[in-house]
Amino acid sequence: MPGPLDGLVVLDLSRILAGPTCTQLLGDLGAEVIKIESLAGDDTRTWGPPFVLDAQGAPTDLSAYFMSSNRNKKSVAVDLTDPEVQRMLHDLAGRADVVIENFKPGGLKKYGLDHETLCAMYPGLVYCSITGFGHTGPNRDKPGYDLMAQGYGGIMSITGEAGREPMKVGVGVADVVCGLYAATGILAALRHRDATGEGQHIDIALVDATMAWLVNQGLNYLTSGVSPMRAGNAHPNIVPYQVFATSDGYVIVAVGNDSQFARLCDYLGQPGWAGDPRFATNTARLRHRETLVPMIAGQLAARTMQDVIDGLEARKVPVGPVNTVEQALESDQAQARGMTITLPAPQTAAGEVRLLGNPLKFSRTPVSYRSAPPSTGADTEAVLSRLKRDL
């Protein structure tokens, strides 16, 4: 069944994670994504181990990192400095609906592949640029990486335990969220293009996207004038809403209102806590966090994870385990929701690769998994031959 973006052509000049995350999503939705790589391939092909092994047990150019964001794409490996290659990419851009790139501002101008040149040549083109700091502002020429964006954008200052060093999020979340914003912007620009025939340039920055997803913590500062501080797993606005140790692991207890707190107290065998003026409302619990949280922790420490989960679920208090990645991806919930998939990959020893699934569930136009992440340049000849036939 065709996907919602069936027939859309995306010329992907991006690498690493933010751009590839965006184009993988567009590919899952049915777009044809032509990934342009250097002759050495996307940088992330070497970011390992782990690597997928070939039949001889040697590492392939399919690192786990690369595979995380490059399925449903065709790989064309070329030398961008070659004038003939530049002409070919111009022709591809003229046949594409979308061009996406993550070079430094002005980095593609010497090849004639910058947004000013291509948008002037092809007025209906949607051209998306992803950079560290954007195409304007005093930092426009500085390089941008996920870790730097997390640092500059403020999220690291509120991640980690109080009194300890700032901590990055455990995955490249600045890149990933920026890629999702980019995909949303591209879809909006395509709707405008389809209505008016007019393409446009989308300028999105890792740092801007990171600041945008500070959400409540950003608004806590803008409303109060006070910068939020690191508080570990505690929530800045809700108590108790954090991780607690049990006798055999960790659980999350997420009390969102006063009635849930009363039911938590019932489970703990401490119904009087719910009527204590220090704890009766969320605002009071915030003021007395340092008193209440150790009291709850003391009650939970001797109980097993399963006892806590069963007891609180029975009382309709939000609770859950802190899973390892293995436990999460091998869970019955993950399998029921298709959150891991397997695709054929004949160049590998196993003949297939296992990947993360797409979370979107459409009732009419489901996502499709048409091809595994490609080897470097796997589609160069096929794409260029088709282009020559079309000229």
Side-chain angles (χ1 to χ4, degrees), residues 147 155-169 229-232:
L147 180 60
I155 187 65
M156 284 181 66
S157 75
I158 56 174
T159 304
E161 297 179 354
R164 304 286 296 274
E165 69 177 15
M167 190 68 60
K168 71 178 180 66
V169 180
M229 303 298 289
R230 290 185 292 286

Side-chain angles (χ1 to χ4, degrees), residues 35 37 39 74-78 88 375-386:
K35 180 179 178 71
E37 302 187 64
L39 296 176
K74 298 172 180 175
S75 172
V76 175
V78 292
M88 176 268 293
S375 297
T376 307
D379 306 287
T380 303
E381 183 177 349
V383 170
L384 297 188
S385 296
R386 187 181 71 181

Side-chain angles (χ1 to χ4, degrees), residues 11-13 36 80 85-101 108-109 111-129 199-201:
L11 179 58
D12 184 3
L13 299 172
I36 305 301
L80 269 185
V85 168
Q86 294 163 22
R87 285 191 289 272
M88 176 268 293
L89 293 179
H90 271 267
D91 291 333
L92 276 175
R95 288 158 173 73
D97 300 278
V98 176
V99 171
I100 182 168
E101 54 91 10
L108 287 173
K109 196 171 189 64
Y111 307 129
L113 297 170
D114 53 297
H115 71 270
E116 294 96 341
T117 300
L118 292 183
C119 289
M121 292 178 65
Y122 309 113
L125 183 66
V126 172
Y127 190 114
C128 181
S129 298
Q200 61 185 297
H201 179 227

Side-chain angles (χ1 to χ4, degrees), residues 121-242:
M121 292 178 65
Y122 309 113
L125 183 66
V126 172
Y127 190 114
C128 181
S129 298
I130 298 175
T131 56
F133 289 89
H135 280 236
T136 58
N139 293 338
R140 70 182 296 271
D141 294 321
K142 291 185 178 182
Y145 292 93
D146 177 90
L147 180 60
M148 296 166 65
Q150 290 195 40
Y152 195 97
I155 187 65
M156 284 181 66
S157 75
I158 56 174
T159 304
E161 297 179 354
R164 304 286 296 274
E165 69 177 15
M167 190 68 60
K168 71 178 180 66
V169 180
V171 296
V173 65
D175 274 331
V176 170
V177 176
C178 185
L180 298 179
Y181 270 115
T184 301
I186 287 169
L187 296 178
L190 287 170
R191 180 170 172 80
H192 174 78
R193 191 277 310 268
D194 291 346
T196 67
E198 181 181 59
Q200 61 185 297
H201 179 227
I202 300 167
D203 170 11
I204 183 166
L206 292 180
V207 168
D208 293 353
T210 300
M211 292 178 181
W213 57 262
L214 289 174
V215 288
N216 63 299
Q217 289 282 49
L219 265 292
N220 285 346
Y221 162 70
L222 292 175
T223 302
S224 70
V226 178
S227 275
M229 303 298 289
R230 290 185 292 286
N233 289 311
H235 195 286
N237 303 107
I238 311 172
V239 174
Y241 193 102
Q242 63 186 79

Side-chain angles (χ1 to χ4, degrees), residues 263-318:
R263 296 197 294 274
L264 168 65
C265 295
D266 174 71
Y267 166 71
L268 296 176
Q270 300 290 340
W273 291 0
D276 188 317
R278 297 173 298 171
F279 313 137
T281 67
N282 182 65
T283 301
R285 292 193 294 276
L286 276 170
R287 285 199 302 267
H288 297 281
R289 181 200 299 267
E290 300 306 319
T291 300
L292 176 61
V293 168
M295 293 165 61
I296 296 172
Q299 292 288 325
L300 294 177
R303 308 178 191 222
T304 67
M305 285 179 61
Q306 201 58 52
D307 179 81
V308 175
I309 291 171
D310 291 344
L312 292 183
E313 283 184 343
R315 290 166 174 80
K316 296 186 172 11
V317 176

